[in-house]
Amino acid sequence: MILYLGLDPSRYQADRPLLHYPVITTKRLAFSLPLDWHEATHVLFTSRSAVSYWEHFEGKQILAVGNATAELLRERNIDSLVAKNETQEGMVALLSSLDLSGAYLIWPRSNIARNVLTDYLQTLAPVAKFLAIDLYETCYQKLIPVPSLETVTKIVFTSPSTVEGFLRIYGFLPKDKELTPIGPITAKKLYQSMLFS
């Protein structure tokens, strides 16, 4: 059996029975659009959760990190430029290929987003400006009942937060299971956690 720890297993192609046990959840945070929102030219989406919580798409160039995020935007009839690599580094690569002279980029994000994109966007000043908005909070959760690992053969981690969430519940990473990270950032977190587990 596969234990899937992320928010949404619908796009995951399972080769055996799948148990969805989300160890994280998200919650929208209160925020206000900037007073100069009408001047914004681009909105950057680095997760499907951000797309789900955001309501302001009109008249902006939309950028998506990878196909999963772009797919959710398409479901809302919103076209986007798509970063091939589904990471902040991929978004940086996409932005680096564009002429951003005079651009004003808005980045609605998780409150625990990494700083790779922020660091890059800061280098664009004064040619372009940006605003990061903490749109949603990533929260750890322990749903009851907690699944037994006895019949689990594979565990799927979809983000660094799911690695942390699993450790908070189980306290260790089992060495007799197939541990599968989705994406290089999750793989790095999983590897680091295995070193200390």
Side-chain angles (χ1 to χ4, degrees):
M1 177 179 293
I2 297 173
L3 182 63
Y4 186 94
L5 304 173
L7 294 170
D8 179 10
S10 63
R11 300 181 75 254
Y12 185 76
Q13 296 183 354
D15 58 357
R16 65 199 91 160
L18 184 144
L19 174 61
H20 182 211
Y21 183 68
V23 295
I24 59 170
T25 187
T26 62
K27 181 175 68 173
R28 182 176 175 158
L29 297 171
F31 76 95
S32 299
L33 285 175
L35 294 177
D36 57 356
W37 164 248
H38 62 283
E39 297 177 12
T41 56
H42 300 71
V43 183
L44 318 177
F45 291 100
T46 53
S47 72
R48 289 171 61 90
S49 293
V51 174
S52 297
Y53 289 127
W54 192 254
E55 300 168 352
H56 312 280
F57 300 94
E58 63 288 338
K60 313 300 181 191
Q61 174 67 69
I62 306 299
L63 283 73
V65 63
N67 292 323
T69 303
E71 179 183 290
L72 188 56
L73 286 161
R74 278 193 299 274
E75 289 174 10
R76 297 176 173 213
N77 296 314
I78 298 163
D79 293 324
S80 61
L81 297 177
V82 184
K84 294 176 183 174
N85 181 350
E86 298 193 23
T87 63
Q88 287 188 35
E89 290 82 356
M91 183 65 82
V92 168
L94 174 59
L95 289 167
S96 298
S97 71
L98 304 176
D99 178 6
L100 296 174
S101 301
Y104 180 11
L105 304 112
I106 304 290
W107 178 28
R109 64 183 185 179
S110 163
N111 67 321
I112 60 169
R114 295 183 305 130
N115 291 324
V116 171
L117 188 50
T118 301
D119 292 345
Y120 170 75
L121 292 169
Q122 288 173 340
T123 69
L124 299 178
V127 174
K129 65 178 183 174
F130 87 98
L131 176 67
I133 296 174
D134 286 346
L135 176 64
Y136 65 96
E137 179 180 9
T138 300
C139 309
Y140 298 104
Q141 64 180 3
K142 181 178 180 179
L143 300 177
I144 302 298
V146 174
S148 166
L149 298 180
E150 189 172 314
T151 59
V152 170
T153 55
K154 179 177 181 179
I155 303 171
V156 178
F157 301 88
T158 60
S159 67
S161 298
T162 61
V163 177
E164 179 65 27
F166 181 88
L167 287 170
R168 286 176 180 225
I169 294 169
Y170 291 94
F172 68 100
L173 291 168
K175 296 188 175 8
D176 62 339
K177 313 294 181 189
E178 182 183 346
L179 306 181
T180 304
I182 303 297
I185 308 307
T186 307
K188 181 178 179 182
K189 171 70 173 177
L190 184 60
Y191 175 73
Q192 290 172 339
S193 298
M194 289 171 71
L195 291 178
F196 300 102
S197 176

